[in-house]
Amino acid sequence: MSVRNGAGGGDARQAGPGRRTVAATAALGAALLLTGGCGTARTRPGGRHAGHRRDFVPRLPAPTGPHRLGVTTLYLVDPSRHDPWDHRLTRRELMITVRYPARTVAGHPVAPQMTPGAAQVFAGLDPRFHPGLPTSGVDWAATRTHAHTDAPAQPVRRPVLLHTPGGGDPRTLGTGLAEELASQGWVVVSIDHPGDAGEVEFPVTTPQRPAPVRTTVFRGDPRTDPDLFRTMIDTRLADTRFVRTQLAVLAAGRKPDAAGRPLPDGLAHALDLRRTGIYGHSAGGTTAAQALHDDRCLRAAVNLEGHLDHPSRRPGQAGPLFPVARHGVDRPLLLVGTDGFPGRKELARSWSALLAHPHGRARRRQIRHTAHAVFTDHAAFAPQLQTAGLMTARDRNALVGALDPARSIPAVRDLVRTFFARHLPPR
C-alpha cells in the first residue's frame, strides 16, 4: 500500500522535516519541458509582507492524447454500509472524479487539481507521510489540471477504467495518469476511500460529519497491523463494487449524486460498462488485482506495486496470500514494480506465487531507477520542488527515484496505456 510512501516499506512518520534548500540542477531541463516548466511562483494574498512572499505552484504534465478533457465529481452514498473507520457514520460516503473525452470545452473552466479545503489539509499532512516534502512554500490549491469542469462528453460509448489510489493517498494524487488515459479515449473514474485517504472534501456536511473535509485515520503503516490492513483492503473492494453499481445508474440516465447535482451533458451515454478495467497504486494495486479476481465484470487490471499478501502476525513469517495470488486469474493482469521500493523483496513472494500459475494471464514489468511514488503525481512534482530549492536530491530520489521525469512519466504512462489498449481498446 502506500501510506504516502507505500505499502510495506512505507514510512508513515508523524512529522516531516522542514523546508529544504538545494541548488537547482541542469539535469532537470528536459523534465521541465515535459511538465510545461518548473512551476510558477504565486504571491500569497493577505498579510503585511504579502507582496514579497511567493509560493511555488507545481505543474502537472500535459496529457498526450488527441482528446480534450471534461471532468466532473460525484458524491456517492451507500446506505447499506456503516463506515468502517468511524462508528458514528451509519452510511458510507465516497467521492469520485470522472474524466472523459469532451465534445467541446468552450465556456467550461479548467479544473484545479484539489479543492481549496483538501489542498490546505494536503499541504500540512503530506509531508508527514513523505518526509522531505516541503512543509511550506507551496500553493497546492493553485495547481491546475488539463480538464474542463462539466464539459459535455463526446457521444461515443467508451471503455471505463476505475482508479484506486495508494493507501493514505487522495484520488487527486493520480491526476496525471488519469488525464493521460482519458485523453487517449477512456473514461477514467478515480475513487477516494474516506478514512483511508489523506483528505477528502465533500460538497455537503451531515450531522454525523459536520466538517466538509475528512482526514485519514492512519497514523502508521497499515502493513504493520494485520487487522487494519485487512479492513483497508476489504473496504476498498466494497467501495469499488459500489462505485460500479452507481456507474450503472449513471449510464441508465439517472443521477447517482447524493446531493442531486446535475451531470455533464452526454456523460450517461459515454460509458460502456461491458468494457471495464481497473488500475491502482500500492494498496490500490492490491485492490485492483483482487477485484479482478472477484468480479467477472472487470476485464483487465494493472497493479502498480501493490502487495498480494496480508502482513504476518508473526515476525519473520510470511502472511497469507490473497485469493488472486493463491488461485491466479484468467483475465489480463499487469504487475509493475520499481527497483527502488524498500518492500520489493517482500512484494516478490506474493507476485511470484501469482506468476507461477501455469495458465494465468498475469505479466510483470519493472521500471529501473525509480521508487514507489513514481506512479503518483509526485513523479512530476518532486523534481520541480528540487529545482525550486524546496526538496533535496536525496529526498526526491527516495520518493520517486533518480530517473529523469522526462523518462519516468512516459514509462509509466506507456506501460498502462499499452496494456489497456491491447485488452480494452478505446475504439
Side-chain angles (χ1 to χ4, degrees):
M1 53 132 284
S2 162
V3 180
R4 303 299 182 97
N5 199 21
D11 187 1
R13 304 177 189 176
Q14 291 299 300
R19 175 171 174 166
R20 310 295 182 93
T21 55
V22 294
T25 61
L28 290 173
L32 302 183
L33 292 176
L34 174 72
T35 58
C38 63
T40 57
R42 169 171 292 191
T43 302
R44 175 174 294 181
R48 184 175 55 174
H49 301 292
H52 303 287
R53 185 173 182 180
R54 299 172 67 82
D55 283 348
F56 181 81
V57 180
R59 298 184 67 176
L60 288 161
T64 65
H67 300 290
R68 302 292 296 274
L69 298 181
V71 64
T72 194
T73 59
L74 298 177
Y75 166 50
L76 307 178
V77 176
D78 184 354
S80 70
R81 285 191 293 154
H82 283 65
D83 191 279
W85 306 114
D86 189 335
H87 68 276
R88 297 169 298 178
L89 303 179
T90 59
R91 304 185 305 166
R92 177 66 172 161
E93 299 174 291
L94 301 175
M95 291 296 298
I96 66 173
T97 295
V98 184
R99 297 178 178 89
Y100 50 91
R103 186 175 75 244
T104 179
V105 298
H108 295 270
V110 173
Q113 182 182 19
M114 304 180 195
T115 60
Q120 183 177 9
V121 174
F122 181 88
L125 187 63
D126 204 49
R128 299 185 186 183
F129 293 105
H130 288 324
L133 286 174
T135 58
S136 63
V138 182
D139 187 355
W140 295 105
T143 297
R144 291 293 180 264
T145 69
H146 302 88
H148 296 256
T149 302
D150 293 334
Q154 293 179 12
V156 178
R157 292 282 185 183
R158 299 185 178 279
V160 176
L161 301 179
L162 307 180
H163 160 233
T164 172
D169 283 343
R171 71 191 192 280
T172 52
L173 203 53
T175 296
L177 181 55
E179 288 195 329
E180 171 65 14
L181 294 169
S183 78
Q184 299 287 346
W186 287 277
V187 174
V188 183
V189 180
S190 296
I191 306 169
D192 254 332
H193 304 282
D196 168 341
E199 64 285 327
V200 183
E201 183 165 13
F202 295 95
V204 298
T205 60
T206 69
Q208 294 77 29
R209 181 186 48 75
V213 178
R214 185 176 173 190
T215 58
T216 183
V217 302
F218 296 157
R219 295 298 179 267
D221 186 347
R223 287 291 295 181
T224 65
D225 185 331
D227 292 329
L228 187 68
F229 185 82
R230 183 177 297 274
T231 298
M232 176 178 67
I233 301 301
D234 287 349
T235 301
R236 286 164 164 262
L237 290 168
D239 288 347
T240 301
R241 289 191 297 270
F242 177 67
V243 167
R244 278 217 320 105
T245 67
Q246 297 307 291
L247 293 177
V249 171
L250 192 160
R254 301 192 299 273
K255 297 178 182 179
D257 189 274
R261 295 177 299 175
L263 296 171
D265 184 54
L267 183 59
H269 302 292
L271 307 180
D272 184 356
L273 297 178
R274 298 168 301 174
R275 297 187 292 151
T276 301
I278 184 170
Y279 73 95
H281 169 235
S282 206
T286 306
T287 304
Q290 187 57 43
L292 182 69
H293 174 275
D294 295 345
D295 189 344
R296 301 295 306 181
C297 293
L298 295 174
R299 302 279 296 277
V302 177
N303 172 359
L304 302 171
E305 210 157 59
H307 288 272
L308 297 179
D309 62 352
H310 292 274
S312 175
R313 295 185 182 278
R314 297 182 179 180
Q317 295 188 8
L321 295 171
F322 277 91
V324 65
R326 288 202 310 270
H327 306 304
V329 66
D330 60 358
R331 279 150 292 142
L333 171 60
L334 177 64
L335 309 174
V336 186
T338 68
D339 59 355
F341 179 36
R344 62 187 179 277
K345 291 183 179 180
E346 180 188 1
L347 188 78
R349 170 186 170 265
S350 63
W351 283 21
S352 295
L354 170 65
L355 293 166
H357 293 282
H359 303 295
R361 301 283 302 278
R363 299 293 182 269
R364 179 177 183 172
R365 299 289 185 269
Q366 185 179 74
I367 305 175
R368 298 183 61 192
H369 308 301
T370 58
H372 194 57
V374 75
F375 302 112
T376 74
D377 291 330
H378 283 313
F381 294 160
Q384 294 175 38
L385 294 170
Q386 180 191 354
T387 300
L390 294 166
M391 192 173 190
T392 67
R394 178 180 178 180
D395 288 332
R396 167 260 177 96
N397 292 348
L399 183 62
V400 300
L403 188 64
D404 193 298
R407 297 176 61 191
S408 66
I409 293 171
V412 172
R413 288 177 167 188
D414 289 348
L415 281 170
V416 178
R417 182 182 62 241
T418 301
F419 174 82
F420 283 125
R422 181 180 304 119
H423 301 295
L424 289 170
R427 55 180 181 270

